[in-house]
Amino acid sequence: MKGDMRHYPIVSDATAAASGLMVVLGFMVLIWIASIVRRDASLVDRFWGAGFVLLTVWYWWTAPVPAGGSTWLLLTLVSVWGVRLSVYLTWRNWGHGEDYRYQEMRARAPGGFALRSLVRVYLLQGLIMWVVGLVLWAALRRPVGLGSPWVWPGVALWLVGFAFEALGDYQLTRFRSNPANRGRVLDTGVWRYTRHPNYFGDACVWWGFFAFAAASGSWWTIVGPLVMNGLLLKVSGVALLEQKLVATKPQYRDYVARTNGFIPGPPRSAAADRR
């Protein structure tokens, strides 16, 4: 039919979800093989954002309905977020070798690290990516019009999150590039209002994506942003990073005392007295 933006292959909802899992796990296996060649398991971090772009394109390609206005908008938002994140992490880590987290894992199991990293790093992250990405599956399988009351609040959340994430990364990169700041704590810009603007931004981005799924009635996909929030706050994000910073930077305890940990807010008044 003229004007019909259907594409092929068209598969059922369950098949699309299952095939999405296979696609993302296959993608992770390819990155794992590259990590074995390069002896750098932290390659997985560089492809985290790109993996979601791949998953989104797959769900769009297998959708059984014509692409609605929200489809193109969501494809754009996911692509901008995911490509920026992967490019930034690749640029930031280029030439710095393997991240300390994976070095410690390698030291604990030098003989069986390759297989362990496949299961505990790559396949696990692939599974998490698939679970979190169910919001994208739901939104793309049942697109809504741009007039939906959920779409634009979702875009607003995405804009706030993307701004915090990108600005936080940019300001931290500039701060670290100055040798005079070695050992110091960044507490200006967006870092004045939250100790983890990039993680807060990432959380907002995913709640924004969830709004697209909620618009289609798929409320159960709230599991995606909840899992992402849990990872950012309790597992690989805030909790892990703060343990390291408190141990390595004496000034960080004072920064913790005066600055919100996650949700941005004005610095606490006690800071002026202590400084």
Side-chain angles (χ1 to χ4, degrees):
M1 181 183 298
K2 187 175 180 180
D4 190 342
M5 296 300 293
R6 294 177 190 270
H7 30 261
Y8 298 92
I10 295 174
V11 299
S12 68
D13 286 354
T15 301
S19 63
L21 177 59
M22 296 300 102
V23 166
V24 78
L25 291 182
F27 176 70
M28 283 296 178
V29 169
L30 291 177
I31 306 305
W32 170 73
I33 293 172
S35 77
I36 298 302
V37 174
R38 293 179 57 87
R39 290 186 59 81
D40 184 358
S42 53
L43 285 181
V44 69
D45 299 333
R46 304 181 190 184
F47 289 93
W48 177 253
F52 281 109
V53 176
L54 174 64
L55 195 58
T56 301
V57 171
W58 177 255
Y59 287 148
W60 164 74
W61 183 251
T62 59
V65 295
S70 65
T71 300
W72 305 116
L73 183 55
L74 184 59
L75 281 167
T76 300
L77 296 182
V78 175
S79 297
V80 170
W81 169 80
V83 170
R84 187 213 73 89
L85 182 60
S86 284
V87 169
Y88 168 72
L89 290 177
T90 299
W91 173 79
R92 187 191 71 180
N93 297 328
W94 194 267
H96 291 286
E98 191 171 57
D99 185 271
Y100 75 95
R101 296 167 297 168
Y102 304 108
Q103 289 180 6
E104 292 175 355
M105 184 183 296
R106 188 184 295 275
R108 290 195 296 268
F113 176 74
L115 184 58
R116 177 171 294 193
S117 68
L118 171 63
V119 176
R120 298 185 60 182
V121 177
Y122 285 85
L123 295 183
L124 176 59
Q125 289 204 32
L127 179 61
I128 292 171
M129 184 182 295
W130 177 74
V131 171
V132 172
L134 287 172
V135 296
L136 307 174
W137 169 84
L140 291 165
R141 300 294 290 184
R142 297 172 179 82
V144 297
L146 293 179
S148 168
W150 285 94
V151 168
W152 296 110
V155 173
L157 272 173
W158 185 92
L159 288 171
V160 170
F162 188 80
F164 267 90
E165 193 171 358
L167 276 174
D169 288 339
Y170 171 73
Q171 290 169 359
L172 183 60
T173 298
R174 289 196 62 185
F175 182 81
R176 287 175 170 173
S177 68
N178 186 347
N181 292 327
R182 187 177 299 276
R184 297 177 58 193
V185 174
L186 173 59
D187 60 358
T188 58
V190 292
W191 297 84
R192 172 178 171 83
Y193 305 103
T194 168
R195 302 197 300 272
H196 301 281
N198 44 358
Y199 293 148
F200 168 75
D202 205 37
C204 286
V205 163
W206 280 98
W207 283 108
F209 292 154
F210 169 69
F212 284 78
S216 71
S218 302
W219 290 92
W220 62 270
T221 61
I222 195 172
V223 66
L226 288 177
V227 168
M228 182 61 77
N229 275 33
L231 292 172
L232 293 172
L233 287 169
K234 302 296 184 181
V235 183
S236 60
V238 171
L240 183 63
L241 182 58
E242 296 230 319
Q243 288 177 8
K244 179 187 177 184
L245 291 174
V246 168
T248 58
K249 294 188 176 184
Q251 299 174 351
Y252 197 77
R253 291 184 183 275
D254 182 60
Y255 179 56
V256 169
R258 68 178 187 269
T259 310
N260 282 9
F262 193 67
I263 299 176
R268 286 179 277 279
S269 58
D273 296 334
R274 286 195 297 272
R275 296 179 69 180

